[in-house]
Amino acid sequence: MEEQQQQQQQDWVESYKKSKNGIVMDYYNKKIMAPMVRVGTYPMRILAYNYGCDIAYSEELIDLKVMKSTRVVNEKLKTIDFIAKDKTLCYRTSEKDVRNVLQLGTASSMTALEAAKVVCNDVCAIDINMGCPKFFSVQGGMGSALLSKPETIKDILTTLKRNLNGIPITCKIRLLSTDQETIDLLRIIESTGVSAIGVHCRMIPERPRDPAHWDRLENILNNASFNVPIIANGDIFEHSDIEKIKKQTKVDSIMIARGVVKNVSIFSKPSPIDLKQIIQEYTEIAYQTNNSPVNTKYVINSMLNENNITTNKEAKAMSSARDYDTITKIWGINDKFKQFCLENNIEKEDDKNINKNKNNKKTKLEESNNNQCDIKKQKIEEEEEDKNNNIINKEE
């Protein structure tokens, strides 16, 4: 039995030496989870697949961080982890992450390529963020800052296409000031040979509170044809919105962001699943895959906020939650968490802290005892040395 388990483990390790590049990425008639800062981490992608998501994008990862990360085979979790220079988790994936797309934030073809080379064997595609209008992206020339630099866009995309041995390259943009400007940009991007283009139906200055312009994307696709799949993103909150936007705009696929946060069952369920059940399922995936409790708390709070749930007892309790023991108690799955910890020989956070405090006290006591022993030893040695000196003096 033990030999069989060892062989299975070895087979798994060997399988992860292989590339994901053999997976065919089809961007037609697909339901896609959009890249979302701090939300699109591993547990959310796995939950999305469980509810009918076809392709799941990571949160935006900055090229400089990715290119300096180290690939680690995590045999315990059966995942591939990319560990940043500061020892934090940069990106995690696995065989369950079936059609994962890693989105890069970049302003340079060279750093984009170096980053892509680090992860290209463990992702199904690389996407370039050209739509984020937030300060942290734009200040570095990334995200929507690229939309005014068509030559840089062309350089980044063609460099990746030329050097990554067939791995699909995509990008996500926003609408420009006019439809014709947007059409011209789409044609430039199409000429680079990308596999798909995501279009967020808002302009750069616009924010989530502003309505998405489905009508503008409709007009663009009525007046121009493209050989590359076009993916629509913006204001898809209900399952019925999926067919509505496809019918109105004639896009090839759809991409959902806040609708996923509101209720991830949007991909497959005409009526949303009970949010408490969604949160329980998400939390189970999160603690089973050793996701940071801080990130898990953020995602759960985002789900609550997207549903305007901020004052019930669970929402209030989440504000002070710091660990999985507390989070699982809030959502009624603490028994499952305890059983998981027991089966996997994992100490709960509070037990760890108790043991840590005990160890600290023990260490301090040992240090104190050692110091006292050192003082006694030094005193004995000094007395012995004085005695020897006296003998020597007498002999002299």
Side-chain angles (χ1 to χ4, degrees), residues 31 66-67 77 88 112 138 152 173 177 195 228 234 250 273 300 327 343 355 376 380 392 395:
K31 298 180 291 251
V66 175
M67 65 188 283
L77 296 178
T88 58
V138 176
T152 303
I173 69 168
S177 299
S195 298
V228 61
K250 305 298 189 296
I273 297 293
I300 293 173
I327 293 171
E343 291 174 355
N355 290 334
K376 288 180 180 178
I380 292 170
I392 292 171
E395 288 178 347

mmCIF file of all heavy atoms in Angstrom, residues 31 66-67 77 88 112 138 152 173 177 195 228 234 250 273 300 327 343 355 376 380 392 395:
data_model
loop_
_atom_site.group_PDB
_atom_site.id
_atom_site.type_symbol
_atom_site.label_atom_id
_atom_site.label_comp_id
_atom_site.label_asym_id
_atom_site.label_seq_id
_atom_site.Cartn_x
_atom_site.Cartn_y
_atom_site.Cartn_z
ATOM 1 N N LYS A 31 -17.785 30.997 -21.592
ATOM 2 C CA LYS A 31 -18.103 31.808 -20.402
ATOM 3 C C LYS A 31 -16.820 31.909 -19.589
ATOM 4 O O LYS A 31 -16.277 30.890 -19.142
ATOM 5 C CB LYS A 31 -19.225 31.173 -19.589
ATOM 6 C CG LYS A 31 -20.544 31.053 -20.359
ATOM 7 C CD LYS A 31 -21.625 30.420 -19.518
ATOM 8 C CE LYS A 31 -21.331 28.967 -19.250
ATOM 9 N NZ LYS A 31 -22.168 28.028 -19.927
ATOM 10 N N VAL A 66 6.722 38.448 -11.385
ATOM 11 C CA VAL A 66 6.646 37.096 -11.947
ATOM 12 C C VAL A 66 8.009 36.627 -12.427
ATOM 13 O O VAL A 66 8.416 35.483 -12.180
ATOM 14 C CB VAL A 66 5.620 37.039 -13.100
ATOM 15 C CG1 VAL A 66 5.625 35.661 -13.770
ATOM 16 C CG2 VAL A 66 4.217 37.358 -12.595
ATOM 17 N N MET A 67 8.748 37.495 -13.101
ATOM 18 C CA MET A 67 10.022 37.074 -13.680
ATOM 19 C C MET A 67 11.066 36.734 -12.612
ATOM 20 O O MET A 67 12.002 35.979 -12.873
ATOM 21 C CB MET A 67 10.565 38.139 -14.641
ATOM 22 C CG MET A 67 10.943 39.451 -14.002
ATOM 23 S SD MET A 67 11.349 40.728 -15.233
ATOM 24 C CE MET A 67 12.984 40.215 -15.731
ATOM 25 N N LEU A 77 0.104 19.785 -1.596
ATOM 26 C CA LEU A 77 -1.147 20.307 -2.143
ATOM 27 C C LEU A 77 -1.419 19.847 -3.563
ATOM 28 O O LEU A 77 -2.497 20.084 -4.096
ATOM 29 C CB LEU A 77 -1.137 21.839 -2.108
ATOM 30 C CG LEU A 77 -1.079 22.510 -0.734
ATOM 31 C CD1 LEU A 77 -1.016 24.025 -0.892
ATOM 32 C CD2 LEU A 77 -2.299 22.135 0.097
ATOM 33 N N THR A 88 6.691 35.206 -0.619
ATOM 34 C CA THR A 88 5.242 35.119 -0.650
ATOM 35 C C THR A 88 4.791 34.392 -1.914
ATOM 36 O O THR A 88 5.539 34.288 -2.891
ATOM 37 C CB THR A 88 4.595 36.517 -0.616
ATOM 38 O OG1 THR A 88 5.077 37.271 -1.749
ATOM 39 C CG2 THR A 88 4.946 37.238 0.671
ATOM 40 N N ALA A 112 7.899 41.564 -20.259
ATOM 41 C CA ALA A 112 6.731 40.691 -20.457
ATOM 42 C C ALA A 112 7.184 39.306 -20.893
ATOM 43 O O ALA A 112 6.683 38.274 -20.395
ATOM 44 C CB ALA A 112 5.793 41.291 -21.493
ATOM 45 N N VAL A 138 -1.457 52.331 -14.108
ATOM 46 C CA VAL A 138 -1.194 53.421 -15.061
ATOM 47 C C VAL A 138 0.124 54.138 -14.772
ATOM 48 O O VAL A 138 0.850 54.522 -15.699
ATOM 49 C CB VAL A 138 -2.371 54.428 -15.046
ATOM 50 C CG1 VAL A 138 -2.079 55.613 -15.955
ATOM 51 C CG2 VAL A 138 -3.648 53.733 -15.490
ATOM 52 N N THR A 152 3.717 50.300 -28.824
ATOM 53 C CA THR A 152 4.128 49.469 -27.678
ATOM 54 C C THR A 152 3.259 48.233 -27.581
ATOM 55 O O THR A 152 3.754 47.127 -27.313
ATOM 56 C CB THR A 152 4.031 50.277 -26.362
ATOM 57 O OG1 THR A 152 4.841 51.450 -26.476
ATOM 58 C CG2 THR A 152 4.511 49.447 -25.179
ATOM 59 N N ILE A 173 -8.851 45.101 -23.445
ATOM 60 C CA ILE A 173 -8.795 46.545 -23.632
ATOM 61 C C ILE A 173 -10.077 47.196 -23.113
ATOM 62 O O ILE A 173 -11.000 46.515 -22.670
ATOM 63 C CB ILE A 173 -8.587 46.919 -25.116
ATOM 64 C CG1 ILE A 173 -9.855 46.565 -25.931
ATOM 65 C CG2 ILE A 173 -7.362 46.223 -25.689
ATOM 66 C CD1 ILE A 173 -9.877 47.140 -27.329
ATOM 67 N N SER A 177 -12.338 56.642 -27.174
ATOM 68 C CA SER A 177 -13.293 57.768 -27.207
ATOM 69 C C SER A 177 -14.334 57.624 -28.301
ATOM 70 O O SER A 177 -15.494 57.991 -28.122
ATOM 71 C CB SER A 177 -12.538 59.089 -27.387
ATOM 72 O OG SER A 177 -11.662 59.298 -26.301
ATOM 73 N N SER A 195 -4.895 35.366 -29.957
ATOM 74 C CA SER A 195 -5.938 34.341 -30.035
ATOM 75 C C SER A 195 -7.316 34.865 -29.665
ATOM 76 O O SER A 195 -8.327 34.236 -29.996
ATOM 77 C CB SER A 195 -5.578 33.169 -29.109
ATOM 78 O OG SER A 195 -4.367 32.566 -29.522
ATOM 79 N N VAL A 228 -10.498 37.371 -35.307
ATOM 80 C CA VAL A 228 -10.127 36.961 -33.958
ATOM 81 C C VAL A 228 -11.380 37.022 -33.074
ATOM 82 O O VAL A 228 -12.215 37.920 -33.239
ATOM 83 C CB VAL A 228 -9.012 37.871 -33.394
ATOM 84 C CG1 VAL A 228 -9.469 39.314 -33.306
ATOM 85 C CG2 VAL A 228 -8.537 37.380 -32.048
ATOM 86 N N GLY A 234 -18.599 43.485 -19.002
ATOM 87 C CA GLY A 234 -19.221 44.679 -18.434
ATOM 88 C C GLY A 234 -20.694 44.521 -18.148
ATOM 89 O O GLY A 234 -21.481 44.237 -19.054
ATOM 90 N N LYS A 250 -23.447 40.523 -30.692
ATOM 91 C CA LYS A 250 -22.909 39.501 -31.618
ATOM 92 C C LYS A 250 -21.455 39.137 -31.302
ATOM 93 O O LYS A 250 -20.692 38.740 -32.193
ATOM 94 C CB LYS A 250 -23.011 39.969 -33.074
ATOM 95 C CG LYS A 250 -24.406 40.374 -33.514
ATOM 96 C CD LYS A 250 -25.387 39.235 -33.449
ATOM 97 C CE LYS A 250 -26.721 39.594 -34.103
ATOM 98 N NZ LYS A 250 -27.456 40.689 -33.412
ATOM 99 N N ILE A 273 -27.495 30.313 -6.653
ATOM 100 C CA ILE A 273 -27.394 29.444 -5.479
ATOM 101 C C ILE A 273 -27.337 30.313 -4.221
ATOM 102 O O ILE A 273 -26.833 31.439 -4.248
ATOM 103 C CB ILE A 273 -26.119 28.565 -5.578
ATOM 104 C CG1 ILE A 273 -26.203 27.645 -6.802
ATOM 105 C CG2 ILE A 273 -25.904 27.752 -4.314
ATOM 106 C CD1 ILE A 273 -27.258 26.586 -6.729
ATOM 107 N N ILE A 300 -14.441 36.883 0.600
ATOM 108 C CA ILE A 300 -15.758 36.709 1.230
ATOM 109 C C ILE A 300 -16.419 38.066 1.465
ATOM 110 O O ILE A 300 -17.610 38.253 1.179
ATOM 111 C CB ILE A 300 -15.631 35.932 2.555
ATOM 112 C CG1 ILE A 300 -15.188 34.488 2.278
ATOM 113 C CG2 ILE A 300 -16.962 35.935 3.308
ATOM 114 C CD1 ILE A 300 -14.873 33.677 3.529
ATOM 115 N N ILE A 327 -13.203 32.078 10.762
ATOM 116 C CA ILE A 327 -14.010 32.179 9.533
ATOM 117 C C ILE A 327 -14.957 30.993 9.397
ATOM 118 O O ILE A 327 -16.142 31.154 9.074
ATOM 119 C CB ILE A 327 -13.095 32.291 8.294
ATOM 120 C CG1 ILE A 327 -12.324 33.619 8.311
ATOM 121 C CG2 ILE A 327 -13.919 32.183 6.998
ATOM 122 C CD1 ILE A 327 -11.236 33.740 7.251
ATOM 123 N N GLU A 343 -7.195 15.199 10.112
ATOM 124 C CA GLU A 343 -6.802 14.206 9.101
ATOM 125 C C GLU A 343 -5.473 14.546 8.443
ATOM 126 O O GLU A 343 -4.761 13.657 7.969
ATOM 127 C CB GLU A 343 -7.895 14.098 8.037
ATOM 128 C CG GLU A 343 -9.182 13.458 8.540
ATOM 129 C CD GLU A 343 -10.290 13.490 7.511
ATOM 130 O OE1 GLU A 343 -10.077 14.105 6.435
ATOM 131 O OE2 GLU A 343 -11.365 12.917 7.772
ATOM 132 N N ASN A 355 1.269 27.140 21.164
ATOM 133 C CA ASN A 355 2.541 26.411 21.133
ATOM 134 C C ASN A 355 3.709 27.346 20.877
ATOM 135 O O ASN A 355 4.796 27.166 21.425
ATOM 136 C CB ASN A 355 2.493 25.323 20.053
ATOM 137 C CG ASN A 355 1.557 24.184 20.437
ATOM 138 O OD1 ASN A 355 1.330 23.933 21.616
ATOM 139 N ND2 ASN A 355 1.002 23.507 19.444
ATOM 140 N N LYS A 376 28.513 30.873 35.571
ATOM 141 C CA LYS A 376 29.151 29.972 36.540
ATOM 142 C C LYS A 376 30.414 29.354 35.953
ATOM 143 O O LYS A 376 31.458 29.284 36.611
ATOM 144 C CB LYS A 376 28.186 28.863 36.949
ATOM 145 C CG LYS A 376 27.052 29.341 37.861
ATOM 146 C CD LYS A 376 26.137 28.176 38.224
ATOM 147 C CE LYS A 376 25.002 28.647 39.128
ATOM 148 N NZ LYS A 376 24.080 27.529 39.451
ATOM 149 N N ILE A 380 34.239 29.757 37.286
ATOM 150 C CA ILE A 380 35.091 28.605 37.636
ATOM 151 C C ILE A 380 36.386 28.666 36.857
ATOM 152 O O ILE A 380 37.476 28.435 37.392
ATOM 153 C CB ILE A 380 34.354 27.285 37.361
ATOM 154 C CG1 ILE A 380 33.183 27.121 38.352
ATOM 155 C CG2 ILE A 380 35.300 26.093 37.445
ATOM 156 C CD1 ILE A 380 32.258 25.969 38.010
ATOM 157 N N ILE A 392 52.166 29.074 39.074
ATOM 158 C CA ILE A 392 53.287 29.438 38.196
ATOM 159 C C ILE A 392 54.166 30.485 38.880
ATOM 160 O O ILE A 392 55.389 30.409 38.849
ATOM 161 C CB ILE A 392 52.757 29.986 36.857
ATOM 162 C CG1 ILE A 392 52.079 28.861 36.073
ATOM 163 C CG2 ILE A 392 53.866 30.590 36.016
ATOM 164 C CD1 ILE A 392 51.333 29.304 34.837
ATOM 165 N N GLU A 395 56.304 28.887 41.422
ATOM 166 C CA GLU A 395 57.405 28.102 40.829
ATOM 167 C C GLU A 395 58.496 29.031 40.328
ATOM 168 O O GLU A 395 59.659 28.710 40.404
ATOM 169 C CB GLU A 395 56.864 27.242 39.666
ATOM 170 C CG GLU A 395 55.996 26.055 40.158
ATOM 171 C CD GLU A 395 55.439 25.256 39.003
ATOM 172 O OE1 GLU A 395 55.505 25.748 37.863
ATOM 173 O OE2 GLU A 395 54.910 24.175 39.253
#
